[in-house]
Amino acid sequence: MSERTMSDGKKIRIGYALRPRTSECLIKQSLLDHANNQGIQLVPIHATQPLIQQGPFDAIIHKLYDEEWNRMLTTFSAENPDVVIVDSPSAVEKLHNRVSMLEAVGRMNNRANTTTPVTIPEQVVVHDSILLSDLSVFQALKFPVIAKPLLANASSNSHQMSLVFNNNGLKELEAPVILQQFVNHGGVIFKVYVAGKHVKCVLRNSLPDISQEKLNNSTGNVMPFSQISNLCPNLSGEVEMPAKGLVEQVGQGLRQALNLNLFNFDLIRDSAHKDRYFVIDINYFPGYEKLPSYEALLTDFFKDLITNIHHAPFKGSSEPALFADAAEPAVLCQP
C-alpha cells in the first residue's frame, strides 16, 4: 500500500473495528461529515471477515478484545507495515487489570518534573476471601474504602464497585478484589480524554465527601455505586478546574507510560490538600462522543496519524505507533 497524504487529492481511509454499540454511539453522521470535510473517510471493518481482504486503509483504530481479532490484526500489520495500527493489543491489555493499569502513574512520575503531586490512592489486592474480615490487616487503609473488581475487561461484573464502611461490609465482598482508599474530593471528578497529543478535561459529578461523623452514623455496611449515584450532589457554582499545564503533563505522561493514544483517566483533587491529585481509573477508547465538539478532536487526531505516518506502526509487538510532534500539545479544560 502506497503512502498517501491529505494534500494529494485522495481521501485518507481510517478503518474502524468496534463493537456494534460503540460504533453506533461514536460513528455519528456529524463525525463522518466533519472527517470527510478534512479529507478523511471512516470505513467500517467487519471482524467476522478476513481483514486482509478489506481495505485499503491508511490507519486502523479498534476496540475488540478477542484473540482471533488480535491474530488477524497481527497478520494484517505484517503484510501491510505502512498501515498505522492504533493501538497495540498488548498495551491495551494492561488496562484490563486494575493493578497494571495504575502502575503507569508510577512510571510517569519517575520521568516527570512537576511540583504538583499526582499519584494513586493507597490500595491493596486481596486474592483470598478469608482475608476479607478485618481492614486492620491492611495497615495502609482505613474506612471508607472502595471495592473494585481486579479485572476491568468490559465483562458484566467488571464495573460492579462498592463503597465499604466497616468490617461487616468487607465480609460481603468476594475475592479477587482491590480495596482502594476513598479520598474526599469535593463531590467532583475531572475526566480527562486523550487522543494522541490532544487532551480535553471535563467536569463530572462524583461521590460526596464522607466525614468521620457520617462514617460513624452510617446505617449500612456496603453500598453499590449504582445506589451511591443517587447521592451525588448536583454541580453548582464554580469549580476550580485543574491547571492546563497539569492536565497536559499528566495526559502526555500517561500516554508515554502506557504506550497508548486513545484513553481517558479519572482525576480527583484531595479536599484536604488542594494541590494533591489522584488518578483513580484509566479506560481505553472511552466514549468520546460524550464530549462537546468531539468530532473536531478525533478528526485532528486522525490527521496527526497520517502526518506522522513515517513513525513505525505496530508490528505485532508491544510497541504501538506513538506520534511525536514538535508543537505544543493542544489542551482544553472546560466545565
Side-chain angles (χ1 to χ4, degrees):
M1 182 181 299
S2 61
E3 178 176 324
R4 294 186 230 164
T5 68
M6 287 175 286
S7 61
D8 64 4
K10 298 179 180 178
K11 293 287 185 183
I12 298 301
R13 291 171 57 88
I14 307 290
Y16 61 90
L18 307 171
R19 293 178 177 178
R21 180 179 177 83
T22 303
S23 180
E24 181 181 355
C25 293
L26 183 74
I27 311 298
K28 298 179 180 179
Q29 191 61 46
S30 58
L31 175 61
L32 295 173
D33 291 343
H34 191 90
N36 187 66
N37 290 337
Q38 298 293 316
I40 295 172
Q41 182 181 7
L42 296 176
V43 183
I45 291 174
H46 304 285
T48 57
Q49 302 175 14
L51 182 57
I52 206 71
Q53 297 177 9
Q54 302 182 61
F57 305 113
D58 295 284
I60 290 176
I61 60 173
H62 64 102
K63 191 180 182 181
L64 299 175
Y65 299 136
D66 61 272
E67 290 301 317
E68 178 58 31
W69 165 254
N70 289 345
R71 284 193 293 269
M72 190 159 52
L73 191 62
T74 300
T75 300
F76 179 87
S77 183
E79 297 187 14
N80 298 270
D82 57 336
V83 178
V84 180
I85 308 297
V86 180
D87 279 303
S88 160
S90 58
V92 174
E93 182 70 23
K94 293 179 181 178
L95 295 189
H96 294 171
N97 181 294
R98 287 194 165 88
V99 174
S100 59
M101 169 196 298
L102 294 183
E103 286 175 347
V105 179
R107 293 195 299 273
M108 174 192 71
N109 286 333
N110 289 338
R111 295 195 295 246
N113 180 22
T114 178
T115 58
T116 302
V118 179
T119 183
I120 65 173
E122 295 285 351
Q123 64 180 30
V124 296
V125 183
V126 183
H127 293 282
D128 191 337
S129 295
I130 296 177
L131 298 176
L132 291 170
S133 59
D134 189 351
L135 192 70
S136 64
V137 174
F138 314 108
Q139 297 180 3
L141 301 179
K142 63 180 181 179
F143 290 115
V145 295
I146 297 176
K148 301 180 177 183
L150 177 60
L151 298 182
N153 57 0
S155 62
S156 59
N157 65 344
S158 63
H159 296 292
Q160 294 181 1
M161 306 181 194
S162 302
L163 190 61
V164 184
F165 299 102
N166 50 47
N167 285 329
N168 288 330
L170 288 178
K171 296 174 184 177
E172 299 181 26
L173 305 178
E174 294 184 3
V177 65
I178 288 183
L179 301 180
Q180 187 179 82
Q181 183 64 62
F182 176 77
V183 178
N184 284 330
H185 52 283
V188 297
I189 193 169
F190 308 106
K191 284 193 170 288
V192 184
Y193 290 77
V194 179
K197 70 177 184 179
H198 306 277
V199 179
K200 195 165 190 177
C201 176
V202 294
L203 183 65
R204 295 289 184 264
N205 286 315
S206 186
L207 306 183
D209 288 354
I210 300 176
S211 65
Q212 189 61 47
E213 181 181 2
K214 288 183 180 179
L215 181 62
N216 294 338
N217 294 332
S218 174
T219 58
N221 301 322
V222 59
M223 184 177 291
F225 272 27
S226 58
Q227 298 178 24
I228 296 174
S229 60
N230 297 326
L231 304 178
C232 293
N234 291 323
L235 293 174
S236 60
E238 292 189 6
V239 176
E240 181 185 359
M241 298 295 288
K244 290 185 178 182
L246 173 66
V247 173
E248 170 187 332
Q249 185 174 52
V250 178
Q252 295 305 311
L254 286 176
R255 179 187 172 205
Q256 295 294 329
L258 291 166
N259 283 335
L260 293 173
N261 286 286
L262 295 172
F263 64 94
N264 77 349
F265 60 95
D266 293 343
L267 189 70
I268 62 174
R269 179 169 50 221
D270 192 336
S271 292
H273 304 278
K274 297 296 186 180
D275 62 343
R276 181 182 300 169
Y277 289 84
F278 295 90
V279 175
I280 59 173
D281 203 10
I282 308 174
N283 301 286
Y284 185 66
F285 210 137
Y288 290 99
E289 70 278 357
K290 299 174 185 177
L291 295 172
S293 303
Y294 86 98
E295 299 90 346
L297 178 78
L298 289 184
T299 299
D300 287 345
F301 170 67
F302 297 149
K303 289 160 61 176
D304 292 342
L305 293 183
I306 307 307
T307 301
N308 296 276
I309 201 168
H310 60 276
H311 285 258
F314 164 61
K315 294 184 175 62
S317 70
S318 61
E319 296 299 323
L322 286 177
F323 307 103
D325 192 286
E328 289 296 318
V331 181
L332 299 175
C333 275
Q334 64 180 63

